[in-house]
Amino acid sequence: MKILIADDERLVRVSLISMLWELYPGEHEIDCAKDGEEMVEMAGRTFYDVVFLDINMPKRSGLDALELCRPDLGGTVWCVLTGYAEFQFAKRSISLGVREYLLKPLDIRELKRFMDEITREKEGRKNHKHQLFVNKMSQAFTLADTTGTISRIRPEREGAQYSIYLFWVDTAGSSERQAVYAKLYGDLKKYLEQIMEETDQYAIFFLQSGELCLLIEGKEYDRVTSFLRIHAADYHTRAKITSIWSGAGDFQELYMNKQILLALSPVRILENNLTTASVEELQNSRLIMEKQFLCEKIEMLSACYLTEDYEGANKLLQEMEGDERLEETFGQVDRESLLLYLSDVWSCKLESGFYEDLLGQLRSLIQEGIMAGYERKKDLTGQIKDYVVSNYMEDVTIAAIGSRFGITPSYISRVFKEKTGEKYIDYVTDVRMKKARELLVNEPQLSVKEVAERVGYVSEKHFSRTFKKYFQCSPSQVRGENDGLQ
């Protein structure tokens, strides 16, 4: 915080500075005024969070000086620091908006209580204001994305300048991507708290399309543009991290620039790792349309590979193999950055400098993915069957199995039928009915209701109906037949 000490006694000024440094080393910026007029002059030039002022000062008393300053210094906390304990001074201090009235010689414990209280309040107001700004910006973007309308969006303050940064983390694993995004979010927030002026604001949030978005309202900060380069040593990861930024004169222009950044986002593939490019640089770069077309195809191909849509990946590869424009563009771009992106996203080392060779490598990876997926499906089906055999008496609905194995029910249903030739629910019924017949035959002391419960049925009626449909006879008939044999 910025603090002003207004007192004509040098010893008092030095003593208070020493106490503040002892309590909060290096945390506050402290100025001093020797009389009331100097205090008025300094307060007119600079905003102070806290002003300590003596009442009895030369040229102009502290309270007279305060009365002159008060209209211009909203938000400043005033603390009278004096040896006068008379009622009229205290009464006038209160009427002028003085927050605290402390007597000399000052007790360091009282000073700490006062400063800690002010700090907590200031942080609370700052955090509240920041959260309001974040909510306003993210909701405004979401509304504009949903309705296509930006007319209702208003800036936080008139005449403000804006900057927008979008960050991408490209890697094969979703858990690694989330971890890098989380670190990036935290590091950016910490960095901005250190460098930004108090009058400026920022908001960090994720767009609906998944990118990390940073908005700044205030002056342009060159150091944010250099953030990734400065902190490169902090990101030892296989992920490729890139950013594109743009400035704007008003909020409507800011939103439109966000749309431009997203449209240009595929070209990030050609940028070096841990760099930030400006939208102007990308738009003015040579062959931008051709580069964008090539990168869009590569990004779509990578998305198919990561989601195991190998049919779609093979179809895209066929289109790319027959497109001479793509091959020509490939020969003119920074292949090192492109290969780094592919290596990170496809989790392999790709080194080919020739278009046809690269597509051949990608096709081989897709074929390997197809075979690996086939083996995983076989293994998954076996695991599910084993689990059902051991836990048929529990909740083994397809939703419960999906939750246990971390797979969607629709995927389980499709793969199970594909690999076994029967529906999952039919397999569960088969296991339960065979076990029920075994219990009916071998444990005659159990009632039909108890048998039903032991094989996972809550309703005896439902169990008996399913049993009869499966064996073409009722549970009682099976038990009767067994009693006759005995």
Side-chain angles (χ1 to χ4, degrees), residues 5 10-20 106 111:
I5 301 171
R10 182 177 181 278
L11 184 60
V12 173
R13 297 196 302 270
V14 171
S15 175
L16 184 50
I17 290 172
S18 299
M19 287 184 186
L20 290 169
L106 186 63
L111 177 63

Side-chain angles (χ1 to χ4, degrees), residues 169-184:
V169 175
D170 294 303
T171 187
S174 59
S175 58
E176 182 182 7
R177 186 182 307 110
Q178 291 170 3
V180 175
Y181 266 132
K183 176 174 172 54
L184 192 57

Side-chain angles (χ1 to χ4, degrees), residues 87-124:
F87 175 73
Q88 67 267 27
F89 290 122
K91 184 178 179 181
R92 188 180 177 203
S93 297
I94 293 170
S95 69
L96 291 173
V98 170
R99 170 67 174 272
E100 194 75 34
Y101 193 91
L102 300 177
L103 296 177
K104 300 176 186 178
L106 186 63
D107 186 335
I108 193 170
R109 290 171 298 181
E110 283 295 299
L111 177 63
K112 185 177 188 308
R113 175 194 59 76
F114 168 69
M115 288 299 295
D116 288 349
E117 186 178 300
I118 297 303
T119 301
R120 284 193 300 270
E121 291 179 4
K122 181 179 173 63
E123 283 300 311

Side-chain angles (χ1 to χ4, degrees), residues 321-456:
E321 285 171 342
D323 196 320
E324 294 181 358
R325 294 172 302 166
L326 292 176
E327 184 172 1
E328 182 179 349
T329 304
F330 179 82
Q332 300 181 63
V333 300
D334 180 1
R335 289 189 288 277
E336 184 177 347
S337 295
L338 175 57
L339 292 173
L340 174 62
Y341 167 83
L342 289 169
S343 297
D344 288 340
V345 172
W346 292 58
S347 297
C348 65
K349 185 67 174 176
L350 294 168
E351 299 179 341
S352 175
F354 297 97
Y355 185 70
E356 291 184 2
D357 292 344
L358 176 62
L359 295 188
Q361 290 180 61
L362 297 180
R363 185 177 294 282
S364 296
L365 289 170
I366 291 170
Q367 295 305 314
E368 290 175 11
I370 292 172
M371 296 306 298
Y374 180 79
E375 293 302 320
R376 280 199 307 275
K377 289 176 183 177
K378 274 179 37 179
D379 184 55
L380 174 64
T381 303
Q383 290 182 55
I384 291 174
K385 292 176 77 171
D386 291 344
Y387 182 80
V388 171
V389 168
S390 301
N391 299 274
Y392 59 86
M393 70 294 295
E394 306 294 342
D395 179 10
V396 288
T397 59
I398 196 166
I401 293 296
S403 177
R404 177 172 183 81
F405 285 88
I407 304 168
T408 62
S410 60
Y411 182 80
I412 292 175
S413 178
R414 177 169 57 82
V415 170
F416 197 92
K417 180 71 181 294
E418 186 180 298
K419 295 303 172 187
T420 66
E422 66 177 327
K423 295 180 180 178
Y424 171 76
I425 186 62
D426 292 340
Y427 175 74
V428 173
T429 301
D430 181 70
V431 171
R432 284 175 163 172
M433 291 300 102
K434 288 177 179 176
K435 185 62 181 178
R437 185 184 182 97
E438 182 183 320
L439 289 172
L440 288 166
V441 170
N442 297 330
E443 299 191 38
Q445 76 279 7
L446 296 176
S447 67
V448 173
K449 185 175 187 301
E450 289 173 323
V451 170
E453 290 173 349
R454 290 200 178 190
V455 296

Side-chain angles (χ1 to χ4, degrees), residues 183-424:
K183 176 174 172 54
L184 192 57
Y185 178 95
D187 289 348
L188 274 170
K189 188 176 177 66
K190 183 178 178 182
Y191 187 63
L192 291 165
E193 291 290 341
Q194 294 173 348
I195 69 169
M196 284 190 63
E197 295 182 4
E198 192 168 336
T199 53
D200 295 339
Q201 298 194 76
Y202 73 91
I204 309 176
F205 54 92
F206 287 93
L207 300 179
Q208 290 182 313
S209 47
E211 297 82 6
L212 183 63
C213 176
L214 164 62
L215 301 180
I216 295 177
E217 183 184 77
K219 73 176 188 180
E220 187 177 305
Y221 290 87
D222 292 337
R223 284 182 288 177
V224 178
T225 310
S226 306
F227 172 82
L228 289 177
R229 177 176 52 80
I230 293 171
H231 293 81
D234 297 334
Y235 291 89
H236 298 292
T237 172
R238 281 186 58 85
K240 182 177 181 180
I241 307 171
T242 48
S243 174
I244 306 176
W245 83 280
S246 176
D250 56 51
F251 195 82
Q252 281 69 29
E253 183 185 357
L254 180 75
Y255 178 78
M256 297 308 298
N257 284 351
K258 186 267 285 188
Q259 300 298 84
I260 295 172
L261 293 182
L262 289 176
L264 288 171
S265 66
V267 185
R268 74 184 186 280
I269 293 172
L270 303 177
E271 296 298 310
N272 292 328
N273 191 26
L274 296 167
T275 57
T276 299
S278 72
V279 69
E280 290 79 11
E281 291 172 349
L282 295 181
Q283 287 178 320
N284 295 328
S285 64
R286 181 171 166 270
L287 301 173
I288 181 59
M289 299 299 293
E290 292 82 355
K291 290 176 181 177
Q292 191 169 359
F293 182 61
L294 171 65
C295 293
E296 284 173 354
K297 290 290 187 181
I298 290 174
E299 197 170 26
M300 291 167 59
L301 181 63
S302 299
C304 288
Y305 178 76
L306 291 178
T307 56
E308 299 185 3
D309 178 13
Y310 298 123
E311 182 179 350
N314 276 322
K315 183 178 179 181
L316 268 171
L317 267 180
Q318 289 176 359
E319 294 176 5
M320 293 174 71
E321 285 171 342
D323 196 320
E324 294 181 358
R325 294 172 302 166
L326 292 176
E327 184 172 1
E328 182 179 349
T329 304
F330 179 82
Q332 300 181 63
V333 300
D334 180 1
R335 289 189 288 277
E336 184 177 347
S337 295
L338 175 57
L339 292 173
L340 174 62
Y341 167 83
L342 289 169
S343 297
D344 288 340
V345 172
W346 292 58
S347 297
C348 65
K349 185 67 174 176
L350 294 168
E351 299 179 341
S352 175
F354 297 97
Y355 185 70
E356 291 184 2
D357 292 344
L358 176 62
L359 295 188
Q361 290 180 61
L362 297 180
R363 185 177 294 282
S364 296
L365 289 170
I366 291 170
Q367 295 305 314
E368 290 175 11
I370 292 172
M371 296 306 298
Y374 180 79
E375 293 302 320
R376 280 199 307 275
K377 289 176 183 177
K378 274 179 37 179
D379 184 55
L380 174 64
T381 303
Q383 290 182 55
I384 291 174
K385 292 176 77 171
D386 291 344
Y387 182 80
V388 171
V389 168
S390 301
N391 299 274
Y392 59 86
M393 70 294 295
E394 306 294 342
D395 179 10
V396 288
T397 59
I398 196 166
I401 293 296
S403 177
R404 177 172 183 81
F405 285 88
I407 304 168
T408 62
S410 60
Y411 182 80
I412 292 175
S413 178
R414 177 169 57 82
V415 170
F416 197 92
K417 180 71 181 294
E418 186 180 298
K419 295 303 172 187
T420 66
E422 66 177 327
K423 295 180 180 178
Y424 171 76

Side-chain angles (χ1 to χ4, degrees), residues 56-73:
N56 189 22
M57 290 191 291
K59 297 185 180 180
R60 193 182 298 277
S61 75
L63 296 184
D64 288 343
L66 168 57
E67 195 163 13
L68 288 174
C69 294
R70 191 175 56 157
D72 301 323
L73 288 179

